[in-house]
Amino acid sequence: MQMVLVVFGGLMVLCASAVWLSFKPPAGAHTAPEHVFTVSEAHRAMQRHRGCSRDDCPRKEAAFRVLVESGRVRPDSGRLY
């Protein structure tokens, strides 16, 4: 079984990758951010909202846009964004 080290605030947790993949943030955590994410914040948001769809999660969409604009992510040219 593959294990994943996850950091929540100052707490480090070791969990099975299957548990981490099924993790979803609380409902209120999906709102759009009040400020433009830094690249580092965008990376964390994408990790925390891994199970979310960008269509349904404004926070993940905002993080994705920052990563695209910074050149850290290159969208698939075959998809409609």
Side-chain angles (χ1 to χ4, degrees):
M1 174 185 307
Q2 186 177 6
M3 300 299 283
V4 177
L5 182 63
V6 183
V7 179
F8 293 100
L11 179 66
M12 292 174 52
V13 179
L14 187 63
C15 63
S17 59
V19 172
W20 172 245
L21 293 176
S22 64
F23 169 77
K24 280 199 146 202
H30 300 280
T31 58
E34 294 180 5
H35 67 281
V36 176
F37 282 136
T38 64
V39 171
S40 179
E41 290 171 328
H43 276 289
R44 278 194 302 276
M46 290 294 285
Q47 291 168 347
R48 289 180 180 148
H49 294 267
R50 182 177 181 166
C52 299
S53 162
R54 286 195 341 264
D55 294 334
D56 298 329
C57 182
R59 196 165 209 80
K60 184 171 184 173
E61 175 61 29
F64 182 77
R65 287 285 146 218
V66 167
L67 295 176
V68 168
E69 291 169 6
S70 69
R72 301 293 177 104
V73 169
R74 193 171 82 189
D76 181 352
S77 61
R79 293 186 183 188
L80 299 176
Y81 291 100

